[in-house]
Amino acid sequence: KAGVTQTPRYLIKTRGQQVTLSCSPISGHRSVSWYQQTPGQGLQFLFEYFSETQRNKGNFPGRFSGRQFSNSRSEMNVSTLELGDSALYLCASSLPSGRDTGELFFGEGSRLTVL
Amino acid sequence: GDSVTQMEGPVTLSEEAFLTINCTYTATGYPSLFWYVQYPGEGLQLLLKATKADDKGSNKGFEATYRKETTSFHLEKGSVQVSDSAVYFCALRGASGGSYIPTFGRGTSLIVHP
């Protein structure tokens, strides 16, 4: 069974640009969550989607947004990029809550560098 | 809110040494507890989990026991290998129904020397 796939794996942007990252979950998983990982802040929760609806949102500014499609694939967008947005962005999928033990399956991440 | 505290790293050991990485948590209710491992250049992958008090999770020689009385989930391995060098994250997630946000510790880097 294919794992979680994230694209692109690496990208370089300049301040003020925007970026869109994509995540394809494991087949059958309908919940997708996104995380920002930096050396200084560790792993921080961005948001979670289930059945095309955002269920939870972390403490990030409105420049960070996401969506989920009917096939459970998800995208996240960061607008007006800042230097501090440089990070590894991880996507994870899981079975619907209440029917699993909460295990997350992570992709390899998209490493964003903002110059 | 929920929180996870794990020991600062890096932890540096010689091959075949005993490993302990401490993890304590604060949460309401009865969360599930996890250890994830991240190898260089990769995402996190589940190492082991425990879903209720006194459960012991184990995988690849690693073990951790869900201790509700001490709110701890310490990771142990009797004999580490160079290939165990990675960053280890302790995490929790709410137990049942509805939406819940996973909470991760800051990660502990393990370096194993031959």
Side-chain angles (χ1 to χ4, degrees), chain A residues 7-62:
Chain A
T7 56
R9 289 292 312 278
Y10 302 91
L11 63 168
I12 300 173
K13 294 285 187 179
T14 57
R15 280 181 298 174
Q17 288 187 311
Q18 72 163 14
V19 66
T20 299
L21 309 177
S22 178
C23 173
S24 293
I26 291 173
S27 178
H29 286 193
R30 293 165 60 194
S31 175
V32 174
S33 52
W34 288 88
Y35 305 82
Q36 182 194 65
Q37 186 178 24
T38 59
Q41 299 298 320
L43 200 65
Q44 294 187 286
F45 172 83
L46 281 156
F47 26 65
E48 181 194 12
Y49 287 87
F50 176 73
S51 291
E52 303 178 64
T53 300
Q54 186 180 90
R55 290 202 299 188
N56 285 297
K57 190 177 191 305
N59 189 26
F60 278 81

Side-chain angles (χ1 to χ4, degrees), chain B residues 91-111:
Chain B
L92 67 83
R93 201 172 185 198
S96 63
S99 306
Y100 44 89
I101 297 174
T103 302
F104 290 85
R106 294 295 299 268
T108 301
S109 175
L110 171 65
I111 302 169

